[in-house]
Amino acid sequence: MLIIDCPNCGPRPETEYGYGGQAHVAYPEDPHALTDEEWAQYLFYRDNPKGDYAERWVHSAGCRKWFNAVRDTRTYEISAVYRTGETRSETQKGA
Amino acid sequence: MTMTAPEDTTVEVAAHVPPVDRARVLALRRSPAQGLDEEMRRGSGAAARLREVPFLTQVAIRATPGRDGSLTETLGLDLPTHVGEVAGAGDGNGLAVLWLSPDEFLAVGPDEAESGVSPEAYAGGLAEALGSERGQAVDVSANRTTLELSGSRARSVLEKSCELDLHPRVFPVGAAVATLLGSTGVILWRTGEDTWRVMPRASFATHVVRWLLDGMREYR
Amino acid sequence: MNQRELPEHPDFLWANPEPKRSYDVVIVGAGGHGLATAYYLASKHGITNVAVLERGWIAGGNMARNTTIIRSNYLWDESAAIYEHSLKLWENLEEELGYDVFFSQRGVLNLAHTLQDVRDSVRRVEANRLNGVDAEWVDPQQVKELCPIINVGDDIRYPVMGGTYQPRAGIAKHDWVAWGYARRASELGVDIIQNCEVTGFVIDGGRVTGVETSRGRINAGKVALCAAGHTSVLSELAGFRVPIQSHPLQALVSELHEIIHPTVVMSNHVHVYVSQAHKGELVMGAGIDSYNGYGQRGSFHVIEHQMSAAVELFPAFSRAHLLRTWGGIVDVTMDASPVMGRSPVDGMYVNCGWGTGGFKAVPGAGFAYAHTIATDEPHELNRGFGLDRFVSGALIDEHGAAAVAH
Amino acid sequence: MAADQTRRIDAGGAIDRSTPVELVVDGTTLTGFAGDTVASALVANGRLRVGDSIYRGRPRGILSAGVEEPNAFVLVHGDHDESMLPATTLELVPGLDVRLLDGIGVLDQKPDPAEYDKMHVHADVAVVGAGPAGLAAARAAAATGARVVLLEQDFRLGGSLLASPAEVVEGVPAAQWVEQVRAELEAAPEVRVLIRTTAFGSYDNNHLIAVEKRAEHLDGTARDGIPRQRIWHVTAAQVVLATGAFERPIVFADNDVPGVMLASSVTTYVRRYAALPGREAVVVTTNDSGYAAAHALLEAGASVQVLDARDEGASPVVASAAQAAGLRVRTGCAVVGIDGDASVEGAWVARIDAEGALVGDAERVVCDLVAVSGGWTPNVSLHSQRQGALHWDDDLAGFVPTAAVRNQHLAGAVRGTYWTDGCRAEGDAAGVAAASAAGFSAASRSTVIGADAVAEERVARAGRTRQLWVVEGREGGYATHFVDLQRDNTAADVLRATGAGMRSVEHVKRYTSISTGVDQGRIGAVNTIGLLTRVLSGDDTRAIPPGQPGQDETASGPAAGAARPTPGAIGNTTFRAPFTPVAFAALAGRSRGDLFDAARTTSIHPWHEAHGALFEDVGQWKRPWYYPRPGEDIDAAVARECRAAREGVAFMDATTLGKIEIRGADAGEFLNRLYTNAFKKLAVGKARYGVMCKPDGMVFDDGVVLRLAEDRYFATTTTGGAARVLEWLEEWSQTEWPDLDVVCTSVTEQWSTIAVVGPRSREVIARMAPDLDVTREGFGFMEFRETVLASGIPARICRITFSGELAFEINVPTWYGLQVWEDVAEAGADFDITPYGTETMHVLRAEKAYPIVGQDTDGTVTPQDLGMSWIVSTTKDFVGNRSYSRSSHRAADRKQLVSVLPLDRSLRLPEGAQLVEPGALGDYTGEGLPSRPIPMLGHVTSSYHSQALGRSFGLALVKAGRDRIGQTLIASFEGRFAEVEVADAVLYDKEGARRDG
Ligand SMILES: Cc1cc2nc3c(=O)[nH]c(=O)nc-3n(C[C@H](O)[C@H](O)[C@H](O)COP(=O)(O)OP(=O)(O)OC[C@H]3O[C@@H](n4cnc5c(N)ncnc54)[C@H](O)[C@@H]3O)c2cc1C
Ligand SMILES: NC(=O)c1ccc[n+]([C@@H]2O[C@H](COP(=O)([O-])OP(=O)(O)OC[C@H]3O[C@@H](n4cnc5c(N)ncnc54)[C@H](O)[C@@H]3O)[C@@H](O)[C@H]2O)c1
Ligand SMILES: Cc1cc2nc3c(=O)[nH]c(=O)nc-3n(C[C@H](O)[C@H](O)[C@H](O)COP(=O)(O)O)c2cc1C
Ligand SMILES: [Zn+2]
């Protein structure tokens, strides 16, 4: 059970959240300007690192806000949470 | 604190129906847990009691604090600013505004039958007060119902399926949060030392009542 | 074999040689897929100068962790073809490997609990039959006959409305399948190198020529990835991406009980996957955790949910005991279908994305992958599973329609 | 009274001699006392033998007195039989009726009447284990005012102290000390002491999961409302693990004969339960702890001799105590074999060399009990579940935690501290440290010894353990040298595994099945690992794959050049939850039966129930499926309902549709981006149907959107899609387009929606809403009006149709839903208004080819595939649009939605039937399976009998379907084939003439 520190609501159990995969994958400015390969990258390809991963969560059962977290995919430890639109360093806690 | 009708609201509904008729109309409402009254009475005991507090006026507010037009003025309350905070009547006796997210709030006030203010009119007034600011005020009075769980073991009953820390150090009287009770989303509001409001959405009311009653049986 | 007999293993399984400097083919990952690929390279293509490099102990990844369900009743033609080919290989595997892998064709039941489940199930059954895959729609009474311990009553939240049944489907003993392949591969000259982690690739002019490992550099004519949940990490090292995400998937067992569960039952809606292994333990798959993870462990609420589902459908499991839980790292693609074929690097091949269901594919995937590696061309069986489908949009979407995992 | 308790010691023990308790074992009634376990009652009655071993059928005896028991499993008869419970942990309660098992359980097929529940609590400090270390830790933490939870699996506090009640702790006898601490804890307001509660799982963020036995000990049967067991979820800021250590046996020939027992368990039986396992005992030990058993036995009147495998014998204090007590001790000796089959009759004793091989001849010693101690294994399960590191300690001969996991503390025997005062002191220190880390400052007790100081003393105080992994037998071979008693695995099996090429301890586990039983290797794992160190040579070990991750460095490969690996290099197999087995039902908690999953109901549900509706599960909703009248089957009921809708008037509860209010200056722009069609220019007061796609272009949801005001829209979603769509809107607005002025609120349950459908619906609506102009001209299609019903209830009425008929939807706040429904029924009574359910809704919409997302689509279908190119804007971009230019979307053979008409007009195809070209079947008759795959063109997504058309029909997704209109295809189902004609998707009222009435 992950306990995730919602930037708005504080620590809550994982069951209150929805997972949104990799963070900072912006919707392309103009999808039509992309090649099929580039569009496929946007649609289907995400990083999948073993280690720190900046990912998106939504606090579905609480404030319903999306936010980002940096989590180590080996230890599952979360080293930072920050609001959508913020960059990681602004609110990063710990190391 | 009582809820007052926002002034200068011209809501069709209020205008349309004469007050005396309105009482007759209000009598036509059926609350989501109404059919479970008897079950709740039977399932209640000294240490844990459950009842429905039906028909509270509820308005869903989306607004950015500080940029809400005359919304707070109209409300007569400042919007709460952090998780758990309830502005106004933390004990539920009067108008209260619950924090749901940095830009989402729930105003809860008395039943129209008590206040004389129709929820539609009230929500309409708030929407108007918001003006052109980003946000929303929507009547959601029927969207959720309010269950009141009280008694010395009320907290234990909740702890059976609520994963939050309900210790008074962490969850004081007058605090409210949106969370899960089992797998059902609810707003949980501590209105007294041993009194809690559990607000599920209307379609979940039967389930939540049965779920709570099941958890109460050992304290009967 | 009787529940109260201990298994007989061959006296010798595989050798533990020191790695050579160079191989024709280096396979990365000694799970079921890696070992089967090595075996088919050697046995079907005569390529025996092969090493299978394993960072830990062989078959210690998902191969050690899966609920061993084997079936071929997939919806789409491409899937049905490869899984059915695999099932046919399973049917001859014990003979081929000379190893009793406890392949038990006890049938697999996929239950339906809603009208939409019923539609999807019938659709799959009809598609399966035309694809030559044995499949039947069974009504609740027949469900009860196939598995008397299922609660088919109306008094549950999601009553059983019927199910699909594949009689030839079943289970096998996971470890022994891997060891059976390892043993034959080892006999045919394949080097199985454990405790040897691939940490990089030697790429020369767009072509792979070797791998860096925790036991030194090993040159290779061709490199075939078979690293399941770790594939992204490796492909990243080789400079390309694969469209997979690695998630924890958990499973659990009870202690041993006298046999009461004759088949395999899967219910996507209520969320139970259960069989009773030959020793007598109930083997169950739990849900996949939503987040990415390489921890070989998942969240406990997933197990709790699994338990309530199990007790709901199988009242007799009420006081079976959870004995052990564990997690694997499954490699999930967007369309719940695998990726197999050439990679963007010459001489390098990928086989991944089997997600929650690649155990059953071990023989078939090994067979097709060996062909792909040996001939540098996809086999008919894996032609549709290349990376190009993500560009063209011709996905083989197995969750939308079939809605069953494992 | 205790006449039959032949082995009950006259005095002492933590049993209540005034409360005899009967116990039925395999049909025979025995007597024990309150305070006994089933096992101690058996011992007190002179019965050590339990069920036979699982595979080899060898007689087995009680080996231990705790959760590590590998042999003594029972089935407890009751309301619901429960199997595989260790007799050693089963508290003796009145009415217990047990059957001894042979290592395998039997599942009861009756329903389990007992109840189970869960509790979630938070603590500043959670302490696991209530031995001297745990009690001291809890006491120290409690004194700071911290919220403390103490979890102890036993039904008594005290841990190992229960077996040494006279030992002095803080100046008082242990039993008294435990009482004092208990009283202190109970008096503290923020402390919760849970006995009979096993912490079985340790998860991230200090989330402990425990199971409490709550009711079964009361009188065996469950009381109404009192859960039999409870799962505790404890989230703690700090955790103290004080879980003690397990003793392990010694591997010698026939070491499984009943009467061979762990030495510390012998002590426990004698001192805690006043039960004497044997009168003539041999104690064989590799460490000091065996001596305690010898003293206990001696004091209880048994004859004892001690075989100390160490040449040097015990540490001085222990040795002199032995001498003082007159114990016979032989050093450098061990038991090398047992005489007797079903019980120990004698032990073969010999000198052994450094390898554990016999030196000289063995001597037969008559005895009925062999107490064994092969050393101790810290109980690190919970520590290891959190990937806590371990290292091999050569002196203690055990895997010992290297450092506690973050926010955790270790105290006592779990750290390899094997003397009481050290344990107590460590506990004290850990309690203080934990509380202060949780923010509670504490004045520590005067007696606290620094934990580091304790560490240094560890070996000095408890003595050295000899690493004796296997004792050679008098004959060659290891076929009866049991390593894992439960799995019936011997040293010979381990050797076979290494002989087969196995090098990893994980492979040895899986080849042999050692450590996979209920005790999870508590008895056998370390001896197996030790044995591997004996048999693997330096050559072999280069290939040793690592054992448990998180172990010390040496675990990932043996030191170069070492002739033999150390146990640390081989490592442990992985520790996993649960620590001890937990009943499935306990984990299910209250999520069973009706409470398994919430059933969502509309405000009108009571009416549906009262009117005989059958329900369909749609997501969590219960929706009326159809309303059969007496004697009607589904077909007859649906035909009647359809007729009413097409010819008269019918009504349906459409409350379950998702509803979202959307507001903002950019609301129109926002919707434009998410729906395939445009909403910006929709006029206020009007409604428009819309489709949403995922970025891959596949249909995701659909619904009607109303424009309430310039800046307000009201969107409806599918029943199953409500939550998904709201999250989708939020996701895009929050993460991609935060600059758009738009917000959304779910109002799904604010509104009850009643669809009134059919040519006579206008008349019903006119009666319902007298203020409303319902004329064709006055209230156009796809418009809506706010009004007040005759009842005075405010309503929003839309003219929308999902059937093609003239239809209205009345929306009222849900608390009026039932009233308005009843009013509609009354208003329509003259027209024989008929309620209809989802089945009829499906037929009506299918006749018009309105697709159902999820039924006619499956995540691979685009709006174009559905024949709805008209809804895909070409003038604005939207999510999904980019995907349509990919090659697979331009393919000529994409599947398209068409209708299929069976040539046999009465044949209703099963939904899911596949479609093939005529001639594709070859010689396949439907019997068995085709010899090669038959290419499929598509499948039937929806299929009904149309009352209106007087025939059956279906919708189907067919490759190049629209080009095939007019063609005949073959539908394949249930081994049968039927010809169908492909037709335009819309079959009924193509011109749309009926929608305006
Ligand atoms: C809980 C669970 C239940 C499942 N149930 C089923 C089921 O019922 N039926 C079914 O068909 N499938 C099931 N699966 C899926 C199935 O187990 C996998 O799809 C399949 O095992 C994957 O192929 P593999 O055996 O080759 O993978 P693995 O066994 O995971 O093999 C990959 C190997 O690569 C090694 N490796 C990784 N990185 C490196 C490196 N850098 N260098 C060297 N070696 C490396 C790993 O150590 C590992 O041994 C289940 C999976 C899980 C986790
Ligand atoms: N060599 C020796 O002589 C030797 C060896 C080991 C221990 N000992 C003695 O044993 C005592 C050890 O004290 P201690 O406090 O460390 O341990 P302990 O054995 O006294 O207490 C541990 C307690 O933890 C409980 N426990 C273990 N796992 C649990 C779980 N998961 N959930 C709930 N409860 C759990 C046990 O039931 C037990 O009561 C000392 O008195 C020491 O002298 C001596
Ligand atoms: C089909 C199957 C059956 C299993 N049966 C048992 C069992 O009876 N007892 C047991 O302790 N573990 C059993 N396991 C689990 C393994 O002990 C182990 O947890 C699993 O291989 C994952 O490895 P790990 O836990 O060491 O990471 C079984 C695993 C599988 C896949
Ligand atoms: Zn939040």
Side-chain angles (χ1 to χ4, degrees), chain C residues 4 11 158 318 321-322 392, chain D residues 82 104 112 496 582 597 888:
Chain C
R4 286 189 180 271
D11 284 334
Y158 296 108
S318 189
H321 300 99
L322 178 72
S392 71
Chain D
E82 182 161 353
I104 204 156
D112 181 354
R496 236 175 89 74
V582 189
D597 191 26
S888 73

Side-chain angles (χ1 to χ4, degrees), chain A residues 6-10 12 16-17 59 62-65 67, chain B residues 99-100:
Chain A
C6 170
N8 301 312
C9 307
R12 296 287 182 95
E16 293 198 357
Y17 296 90
H59 191 187
C63 64
R64 308 197 302 121
K65 289 286 180 272
F67 61 92
Chain B
W99 184 99
L100 296 180

Side-chain angles (χ1 to χ4, degrees), chain D residues 602-614:
Chain D
T602 74
S603 54
I604 310 166
H605 191 78
W607 193 95
H608 304 318
E609 275 187 318
H611 289 76
L614 296 183

Side-chain angles (χ1 to χ4, degrees), chain B residues 33 36-53 145-151 153-154 157-158 181 188 194-200 204-217 220:
Chain B
L36 301 163
D37 269 359
E38 182 49 31
E39 235 173 283
M40 286 190 274
R41 210 173 5 261
R42 269 186 284 118
S44 294
R49 295 173 298 277
L50 186 66
R51 67 178 186 109
E52 186 182 22
V53 184
T145 192
T146 305
L147 303 168
E148 187 187 82
L149 178 68
S150 57
R153 301 316 295 265
V157 173
L158 292 172
L181 192 71
L188 185 63
D194 285 335
T195 308
W196 304 77
R197 281 185 173 180
V198 178
M199 303 173 74
F204 288 96
T206 304
H207 174 75
V208 171
V209 166
R210 297 242 159 88
W211 179 256
L212 289 171
L213 287 175
D214 188 64
M216 285 160 60
R217 285 190 305 135
R220 208 157 37 190

Side-chain angles (χ1 to χ4, degrees), chain B residues 122-172:
Chain B
Y122 190 63
L126 293 177
E128 198 151 297
L130 192 58
S132 61
E133 293 293 345
R134 178 189 174 122
Q136 213 175 9
V138 182
D139 173 25
V140 288
S141 305
N143 200 49
R144 292 180 188 272
T145 192
T146 305
L147 303 168
E148 187 187 82
L149 178 68
S150 57
S152 58
R153 301 316 295 265
R155 180 174 145 199
S156 303
V157 173
L158 292 172
E159 282 174 340
K160 290 187 175 196
S161 47
C162 176
E163 296 185 48
L164 301 193
D165 191 347
L166 305 183
H167 192 279
R169 271 184 210 151
V170 180
F171 204 127

Side-chain angles (χ1 to χ4, degrees), chain C residues 29 32-33 54-55 62-63 66-67 69 198 356-360:
Chain C
H33 286 248
E54 169 54 54
R55 66 185 196 125
N62 290 338
M63 196 63 179
N66 72 83
T67 47
I69 298 173
V198 172
T356 61
F359 172 68
K360 64 181 71 66

